[in-house]
Amino acid sequence: MTDLNAKTLKATIMHAPDLGQVEIIANGLIAIDPQGVIQSVIAPDHPDYQESLQTARDNKSLVETEAHHYVLPGFVDLHIHAPQWPQLGKALDVPLEVWLQTHTFPLEARYADTEFARRIYGNLVSSLLAHGTTTAVYFATIHQEATRILAETCLQNGQRALIGKVAMDNPDQCPDFYRDADTEAALDGTRTFIDHVLSMPGNGDRLVRPVVTPRFIPSCTDVALAGLGEIAAEHQCHIQTHCSESDWQHGYVLDRTGRTDTFALNDFGLLGRQTVLAHANFLTDPDMDLIAEKGAGVAHCPLSNFYFSNAVFPLRRALEKSLRVGLGTDISGGPSASMFDSARYAISASRGLEEGVDPAKPADERGIAQSRIDFRQAFHLATAGGADVLDLPVGQFSKGYQFDAILVDTEAPTAPILVEEDSDSLDDVLQKIVNSATRANIATTWVNGKAIRA
Ligand SMILES: [Zn+2]
């Protein structure tokens, strides 16, 4: 392979457009136009296959991959705190309130320094692309300039991104050193950032999009929450926030508003088709029904939940109620930037929920039956599921979708994945990739058909 900017790609492709099923095409041909839009995907048994292959060879537009290469959709990470990148892997041994007040808020406050922001965000975005995250949904900080730097960094590096200036104006819950000056500052700052992103030079096709971002109900006043709901409606943009994450947070909202997060957010105009609810562990049945009715999505963050959420998200129950769900790393509440890890932790969390964890209890009282997911469902959630939450045409290889993808090399010298050709089916290979691949196996990441070397 020389020119990796894909035109016609011949590869073994693996994707999961529908929950629970995977589609694998050995030696498939994907034709991609100059804008990165997939024109066709054809398998070797298609009547046009030989002619398409020959045409691509003749006009030198064919990119051929090797036998140990597999092309998967790029990952959609629905929940990342960009400013927390330097804290990845740290401060996981303290409770949430200590984590926030002693570690996280002081770190986020440092982004008043634009040079710091430029250095950290540059490192973050290139690292996430190397991990195969082609679409990233980011909380930034309260700062206008630093949040613009994040947007510009994503655009320059070619990462599809949804980014929010964090709104947090409640003096009862936010420290003096890290808070919007007042409610108007939270609302004006949100409007100004939205306008900036939509008019950023080079962002005509909206690779980077603004997101209305109340950190969570505790950190915002009622006036700010209602104002943010109006701004989102006015600009028709995405909304992200934390929802019923932990015992403390869920209980705080019940005490303050008399409602669950879901119902309170709905009353503030913050629950709709473009809303991404992070965590959502403590959703009640009526919450789930309302989320399904409104078409909002959930960012399931299984690793972070183990550290800070007091419970495991009832994923299968949510899927059975037709909630739209994708996965999030929740950097740095979750100490891994890898969406392969997110998929694996989603599987193990679901197994823990099903089997239970207390060996002192009898087996039939230990867990919640039928809670597990498998690698097919996890792979879907990390790709097409997240894309569906955002209503973006990515996450699968279908005509009309953008070609956002990763090239997985099972023979990467530092991270070989053993494939036994006589005994491993392609389904087995995908299962091995989902369960064991790392950043070292990602040889190339494409966004909009453009190759970004990992
Ligand atoms: Zn979070």
Side-chain angles (χ1 to χ4, degrees):
M1 293 192 299
T2 46
D3 179 6
L4 282 159
N5 287 308
K7 294 145 194 154
T8 300
L9 186 70
K10 179 168 173 276
T12 296
I13 61 178
M14 302 174 151
H15 68 157
D18 299 309
L19 182 70
Q21 290 164 26
V22 296
E23 185 185 19
I24 301 175
I25 304 173
N27 298 308
L29 281 185
I30 307 181
I32 300 150
D33 79 5
Q35 282 70 46
V37 179
I38 297 170
Q39 298 300 300
S40 62
V41 181
I42 57 178
D45 60 358
H46 190 280
D48 296 341
Y49 183 87
Q50 284 306 334
E51 194 188 330
S52 301
L53 183 61
Q54 197 54 50
T55 305
R57 273 204 181 110
D58 291 347
N59 63 25
K60 303 201 181 327
S61 67
L62 187 69
V63 176
E64 285 195 75
T65 58
E66 295 175 40
H68 50 95
H69 288 165
Y70 302 88
V71 173
L72 278 60
F75 292 119
V76 178
D77 187 341
L78 290 179
H79 189 56
I80 303 162
H81 292 273
Q84 295 171 20
W85 181 234
Q87 189 173 264
L88 193 83
K90 275 172 55 176
L92 295 161
D93 53 345
V94 294
L96 180 63
E97 55 276 18
V98 177
W99 182 82
L100 274 176
Q101 302 290 342
T102 310
H103 297 272
T104 303
F105 288 158
L107 172 58
E108 292 195 12
R110 288 187 64 190
Y111 288 77
D113 175 353
T114 53
E115 279 314 303
F116 181 67
R118 210 175 296 282
R119 181 165 65 81
I120 300 299
Y121 288 159
N123 185 286
L124 167 69
V125 171
S126 58
S127 295
L128 291 186
L129 283 165
H131 277 287
T133 299
T134 48
T135 300
V137 183
Y138 291 115
F139 280 58
T141 59
I142 64 170
H143 310 102
Q144 191 68 222
E145 286 306 315
T147 306
R148 290 180 183 195
I149 287 168
L150 177 60
E152 284 151 16
T153 303
C154 292
L155 193 59
Q156 280 159 12
N157 284 271
Q159 187 181 45
R160 195 180 302 285
L162 294 88
I163 300 171
K165 174 234 169 296
V166 175
M168 40 193 291
D169 70 323
N170 183 3
D172 291 344
Q173 293 293 323
C174 309
D176 292 343
F177 65 82
Y178 187 53
R179 187 173 72 224
D180 285 305
D182 53 31
T183 302
E184 265 319 297
L187 298 176
D188 281 347
T190 299
R191 280 192 210 97
T192 307
F193 178 69
I194 291 171
D195 292 342
H196 175 78
V197 171
L198 296 180
S199 60
M200 241 179 356
N203 195 30
D205 60 359
R206 297 203 180 176
L207 188 72
V208 179
R209 296 170 188 232
V211 187
V212 168
T213 307
R215 186 178 200 107
F216 55 0
I217 289 176
S219 70
C220 295
T221 61
D222 286 4
V223 180
L225 291 164
L228 292 167
E230 282 168 22
I231 292 170
E234 197 181 308
H235 292 272
Q236 290 293 301
C237 59
H238 284 86
I239 297 165
Q240 62 182 342
T241 193
H242 298 84
C243 174
S244 296
E245 177 177 357
S246 65
D247 285 317
W248 171 80
Q249 193 251 300
H250 185 62
Y252 171 94
V253 175
L254 281 172
D255 282 350
R256 181 173 127 192
T257 71
R259 291 158 291 172
T260 58
D261 282 63
T262 302
F263 279 82
L265 290 168
N266 189 46
D267 291 345
F268 287 120
L270 291 165
L271 191 73
R273 175 88 193 171
Q274 291 182 288
T275 304
V276 182
L277 302 168
H279 302 282
N281 300 306
F282 290 88
L283 296 182
T284 63
D285 276 337
D287 288 341
M288 286 200 185
D289 292 338
L290 182 60
I291 291 168
E293 181 195 323
K294 293 284 176 177
V298 170
H300 173 32
C301 307
L303 178 55
S304 160
N305 286 346
F306 282 128
Y307 287 99
F308 295 115
S309 293
N310 319 114
V312 169
F313 173 62
L315 172 61
R316 279 287 296 277
R317 187 155 63 86
L319 294 172
E320 275 153 22
K321 280 185 171 282
S322 301
L323 267 66
R324 301 193 296 156
V325 182
L327 299 181
T329 55
D330 194 18
I331 292 166
S332 68
S336 169
S338 166
M339 286 291 286
F340 277 126
D341 279 345
S342 282
R344 297 192 271 266
Y345 286 114
I347 297 168
S348 43
S350 77
R351 296 290 288 261
L353 190 60
E354 179 167 305
E355 305 284 355
V357 294
D358 183 356
K361 288 188 174 167
D364 59 352
E365 291 172 20
R366 217 176 281 146
I368 298 169
Q370 296 187 337
S371 290
R372 74 173 62 186
I373 61 162
D374 67 13
F375 76 97
R376 298 173 189 85
Q377 290 151 326
F379 177 46
H380 167 84
L381 295 174
T383 54
D388 178 52
V389 166
L390 301 172
D391 282 320
L392 289 177
V394 296
Q396 59 181 279
F397 302 123
S398 300
K399 189 175 181 211
Y401 281 66
Q402 298 296 131
F403 186 72
D404 286 11
I406 57 174
L407 184 78
V408 173
D409 181 359
T410 53
E411 294 184 6
T414 57
I417 297 169
L418 185 61
V419 173
E420 289 287 329
E421 271 172 35
D422 54 350
S423 57
D424 284 340
S425 67
L426 285 173
D427 205 57
D428 293 331
V429 175
L430 176 60
Q431 183 164 190
K432 286 183 170 182
I433 289 171
V434 171
N435 282 316
S436 61
T438 69
R439 166 182 174 152
N441 297 105
I442 300 175
T444 301
T445 302
W446 290 272
V447 177
N448 279 343
K450 194 166 164 255
I452 299 158
R453 294 310 301 244

